[in-house]
């Protein structure tokens, strides 16, 4: 059976019904301020359609990784305010996840109201490995929407997670794919089924161990894999190069060595690196060859010669997937690598390549560095989810909608 979508739910009629929506509102924050509202903006169409149709909308989402309990630093309060503005409707924030305040507010909703539950990860059952614990939280969520409730899965960034608000709740309620999830899956299907060659993958960022796992799989599918960001140093180390104080995943060096042996002609590493003494915006930057990183310095960006080589590679690609910034783009002195590679992808897209950007920070980089969002074929809200899809893995949050 095909996945039911938001349109199917709207056709059934939602006026007066409680509809639980799992959104991805996990935006980057700096001192309580939202630095990139991309995920909030992407969540609006589904929420707006439901509220306009008179549903009692209850939104659940997470923010950051609070460690096993309530932590005011991870409150969704700034998100509720921003979502209200984007939605053009007041969004109430419950004081708890599924507690007395959430329940009272849910009962008080009238048609078209929107209630945001507090950070779902304040409840440790959300991410529990114990099925019965997750199911108990899912049941508490179901109670909020009542008897004739429905569940809309719209948090694409979390569909690769088997979590209570993503997976278990869908087993208890009639379930539908939201606008965002449906759109994301369509693009990824296009990327996997009909990718025109050459197919180039650009990988960077800081979640090194997560991403190393995908390279093996992508190496058999892509014509070239360009590696920068924090993950390139484990590869450089595998080549016997000393990487100073750069980000290094020592236990993965052997894996990287094997990958280089098997896929040496597919994997491309930077040849020069911008280094500094400290991980700080004002730490003086210097460009060195990748095999000459000083022992007391760390690599915070790829250098201009690497950008030149990567640009050449990307210029004739017909399909491009990019996940992870090439450097610490948040600091202007270390943003040039990310900007240069992003510009190369925009140029290739202009010549007809199909390009997809995945990853919260990569998407944020596009906007912060002033690149045109429409310069890419698609900017995905989910890094991990899109990577796992491209790897050919089953995404629990999508599977459960089938
Ligand atoms: P995405 O969210 O796009 O999947 P990640 O979360 O994996 O990307 O990584 C993004 C982070 O990686 C950025 O905050 C960036 O500052 C950081 N980063 C990039 N290059 C380096 C580096 N050389 N050393 C340390 N951190 C880096
Ligand atoms: Mg990230």
């Amino acid at each position: 059976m095909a996945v039911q979508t938001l349109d199917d739910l709207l056709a059934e009629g939602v006026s007066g019904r409680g509809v639980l929506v799992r959104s991805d509102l996990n935006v980057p924050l700096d001192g309580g301020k939202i630095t990139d509202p991309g995920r909030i903006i992407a969540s609006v169409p589904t929420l707006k359609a439901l509220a306009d149709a008179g549903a009692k909308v209850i939104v659940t989402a997470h923010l950051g990784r609070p460690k096993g309990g309530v932590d005011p630093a991870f409150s969704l309060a700034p998100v509720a305010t921003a979502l209200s503005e984007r939605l053009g409707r007041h969004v109430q924030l419950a004081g708890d996840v599924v507690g007395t305040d959430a329940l009272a507010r849910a009962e008080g909703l009238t048609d078209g109201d929107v209630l945001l539950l507090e950070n779902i990860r304040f409840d440790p059952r959300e991410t529990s490995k114990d099925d019965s614990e997750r199911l108990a939280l899912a049941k508490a969520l179901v109670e909020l929407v009542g008897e004739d409730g429905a569940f809309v899965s719209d948090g694409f960034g979390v569909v690769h997670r088997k979590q209570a608000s993503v997976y278990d709740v869908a087993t208890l309620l009639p379930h539908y794919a939201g606008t965002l999830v449906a759109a994301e899956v369509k693009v990824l299907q296009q990327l996997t089924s009909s990718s025109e060659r050459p197919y180039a993958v650009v990988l960077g960022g800081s979640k090194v161990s997560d991403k190393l796992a995908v390279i093996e799989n992508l190496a058999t599918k892509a014509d070239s894999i360009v590696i920068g960001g924090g993950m390139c140093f484990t590869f450089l180390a595998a080549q016997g190069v000393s990487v100073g104080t750069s980000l290094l995943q020592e236990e993965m060096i052997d894996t990287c060595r094997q990958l280089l042996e098997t896929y040496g002609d597919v994997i491309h590493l930077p040849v020069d690196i911008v280094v500094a003494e400290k991980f700080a915006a004002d730490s003086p930057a210097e460009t060195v060859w990748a095999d000459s990183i000083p022992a007391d310095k760390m690599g915070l960006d790829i250098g201009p010669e690497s950008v030149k080589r990567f640009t050449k590679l990307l210029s004739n690609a017909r399909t491009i997937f990019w996940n992870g910034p090439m450097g610490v783009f948040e600091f202007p002195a270390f943003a040039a690598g990310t900007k240069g590679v992003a510009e190369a992808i925009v140029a290739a897209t202009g010549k007809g390549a199909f390009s997809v950007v995945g990853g919260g920070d990569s998407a944020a980089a596009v906007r912060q560095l002033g690149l045109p969002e429409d310069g890419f074929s698609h900017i995905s809200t989910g890094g991990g989810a899109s990577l796992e899809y491209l790897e050919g893995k089953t995404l629990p949050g999508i599977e459960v909608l089938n």
Side-chain angles (χ1 to χ4, degrees):
M1 196 182 76
V3 172
Q4 300 247 82
T5 65
L6 181 68
D7 287 338
D8 297 311
L9 175 59
L10 293 172
E12 276 175 35
V14 291
S15 184
R17 279 175 78 185
V19 178
L20 178 72
V21 183
R22 177 52 159 110
S23 297
D24 178 8
L25 302 173
N26 187 26
V27 289
L29 286 176
D30 188 4
K33 283 194 73 169
I34 297 167
T35 54
D36 183 69
R39 284 175 165 167
I40 294 176
I41 296 169
S43 300
V44 164
T46 291
L47 299 179
K48 188 173 183 321
L50 286 167
D52 285 352
K56 297 171 180 171
V57 185
I58 300 180
V59 188
T60 177
H62 76 284
L63 183 69
R65 296 187 174 183
K67 300 247 163 352
V70 178
D71 179 347
F74 293 100
S75 168
L76 279 168
V79 172
T81 308
L83 184 59
S84 294
E85 281 163 23
R86 301 278 174 180
L87 204 55
R89 275 172 196 269
H90 176 63
V91 175
Q92 332 174 23
L93 177 67
D96 48 26
V97 181
V98 287
T100 45
D101 189 56
L103 203 56
R105 286 175 187 271
E107 276 166 6
L109 293 177
T110 57
D111 300 3
D113 279 353
V114 182
L115 167 66
L116 175 62
L117 305 177
E118 197 35 292
N119 192 340
I120 185 80
R121 289 194 188 164
F122 283 176
D123 191 320
R125 292 176 295 178
E126 166 72 355
T127 54
S128 173
K129 295 271 173 284
D130 183 333
D131 292 351
S132 61
E133 284 185 4
R134 286 199 321 273
L135 196 63
L137 175 57
K139 283 183 177 155
L141 288 167
V142 171
E143 229 162 272
L144 298 178
V145 291
E147 297 266 283
D148 62 345
F151 173 64
V152 175
S153 173
D154 207 34
F156 180 70
V158 287
V159 290
H160 59 313
R161 306 282 188 210
K162 196 171 182 180
Q163 297 176 345
S165 70
V166 179
Y167 174 84
D168 300 86
V169 76
T171 66
L172 302 173
L173 285 172
H175 42 260
Y176 307 83
T179 318
L180 179 62
V181 160
E184 295 268 16
V185 169
K186 195 169 156 221
V187 167
L188 290 172
Q189 270 168 353
Q190 188 177 344
L191 204 56
T192 42
S193 63
S194 61
S195 46
E196 263 187 70
R197 296 189 168 260
Y199 176 12
V201 173
V202 181
L203 291 177
S206 57
K207 291 180 198 154
V208 183
S209 49
D210 284 10
K211 296 185 188 186
L212 281 177
V214 317
I215 293 181
E216 171 109 60
N217 194 292
L218 286 177
T220 61
K221 302 190 170 102
D223 299 295
S224 51
I225 300 184
V226 169
I227 295 174
M231 67 191 303
C232 72
F233 301 103
T234 307
F235 279 94
L236 290 171
Q239 289 184 325
V241 164
S242 120
V243 297
T245 57
S246 307
L247 206 63
L248 181 65
Q249 199 95 33
E250 261 175 76
E251 71 285 4
M252 297 302 280
I253 292 179
D254 277 340
T255 312
C256 288
R257 192 176 295 125
Q258 278 162 21
L259 283 170
L260 287 170
E261 271 166 24
T262 319
Y263 304 108
D265 48 344
V266 176
I267 296 172
H268 300 266
L269 296 175
V271 292
D272 56 349
I273 300 288
V274 182
V275 299
E277 217 172 274
K278 287 180 304 205
F279 189 92
D282 59 356
S283 192
E286 174 195 355
T287 303
V288 299
W289 294 116
D291 60 1
S292 317
I293 300 175
D296 58 347
K297 296 208 167 162
M298 59 178 72
L300 295 179
D301 195 12
I302 61 170
E305 181 58 30
S306 308
V307 171
K308 213 161 111 188
R309 293 186 186 200
F310 291 175
T311 298
K312 189 150 175 265
L313 246 166
L314 291 167
S315 69
N316 66 355
R318 298 293 301 160
T319 305
I320 302 171
F321 176 73
W322 171 33
N323 172 276
M326 294 291 99
V328 185
F329 72 93
E330 296 91 338
F331 303 153
F334 310 104
T338 303
K339 190 160 193 213
V341 166
E343 279 166 353
I345 299 174
V346 170
T349 311
K351 289 194 296 175
F354 180 65
S355 63
V356 177
V357 183
D361 293 290
S362 309
V366 166
R367 288 183 278 264
Q368 270 173 48
L369 299 175
L371 292 146
E373 281 181 64
D374 58 3
F376 303 87
S377 310
H378 179 74
I379 301 183
S380 171
T381 51
S386 44
L387 278 175
E388 290 198 11
Y389 186 99
L390 293 185
E391 270 184 85
K393 282 195 188 156
T394 309
L395 310 182
I398 298 293
E399 190 69 4
V400 75
L401 301 178
N402 274 313

